[in-house]
Amino acid sequence: MEKIEHKMVAVNGLNMHIAELGQGPTILFIHGFPELWYSWRHQMVYLAECGYRAVAPDLRGYGDTTGAPLNDPSKFTIFHLVGDVVALLEAIAPNEDKVFVVAHDWGAFIAWHLCLFRPDKVKALVNLSVHYLPRNSNMNPVEGLKALYGEDYYICRFQEEGDIEAEFAPIGAKSVLKKMLTYRDPAPFCFPKGKGLEAIADAPSDLSTWLSEEELDYYANKFEHTSFTGALNYYRALSMNSELTAPWTGAQVNVPTKFIVGEFDLVYHMRGAKEYIHNGGFKKYVPLLEGVVVLEGAAHFVNQERPHEISKHIYDFIQKF
């Protein structure tokens, strides 16, 4: 890990922190919630040793990336997020027409839309955890989730500015992250107002085999400094995203894609997700989908929980191109 280089890049009005390792064709790694570039540390080392240049940014509102107006969720729409990625690629890979993209969770949401808006930028995509879901022109996504899972569902709880931050504050970033990163229950992730994360069972005292105390401290130190507001703004812009992406209703993602999900991933267990993924709906909207991998025994944070397997899946796929 000590070989990984860090730099700041002026991107789309931000001062974006990136981690970088290796030489060769660029692979852009895009993290999710509540993560950082650090989520890709294992894959960066592996792919750099295989002859690729691995680049992982801290996204808008996260980590050491600065310049985003945290008090304005309207500056966290999918157009801002994809705009950041396109500007970053122009800055770090000006001589490459296309790059490989690997993404997880919210990063996967960004990557799907990058491929939807700018397929000319992406050679091939490996997305983890969050499948592509076409826009529903008949339903606000937050209201739809509320109808399915109730007001205690985590995405619904994240909507009110300052509300969940106030619940997190006395608990501390480390305790919040420990519960979230080690959460393995495939049931809907809910926490009642007033009880917050106390309603969720504590993680094992030894965390897990993949997240050490030192690694948890890395995340905690960054979120203690930045707060969770930037990360939460992604959720607060969901309804805006639905309105803004109306022109892409029914559009397909036309980039060669591999999708990987953990057997116990809570997204995989959302109502209708398995049927959509395995029975033709997913392939309809991502026609160049070349494979779906379900990792037995894995949960949401598969890239960290099963680093070697994920690294090999990435390499085996992208080396075809």
Side-chain angles (χ1 to χ4, degrees), residues 262-284:
E263 178 187 10
F264 299 116
D265 193 316
L266 74 168
V267 181
Y268 186 54
H269 286 265
M270 291 180 71
R271 193 174 302 177
K274 290 181 184 179
E275 293 77 12
Y276 170 80
I277 290 169
H278 298 294
N279 294 346
F282 195 11
K283 180 76 171 177
K284 174 184 175 182

Side-chain angles (χ1 to χ4, degrees), residues 187-219:
F189 186 41
C190 299
F191 38 97
K193 193 172 181 66
K195 293 184 178 179
L197 291 176
E198 293 177 9
I200 299 168
D202 286 337
S205 58
D206 60 351
L207 298 186
S208 68
T209 57
W210 62 265
L211 185 66
S212 70
E213 199 75 33
E214 181 182 2
E215 289 169 321
L216 179 61
D217 283 338
Y218 185 90
Y219 285 109

Side-chain angles (χ1 to χ4, degrees), residues 240-256:
M240 284 182 275
N241 290 340
S242 182
E243 294 179 15
L244 293 169
T245 55
W248 287 270
T249 301
Q252 294 178 322
V253 173
N254 284 297
V255 169

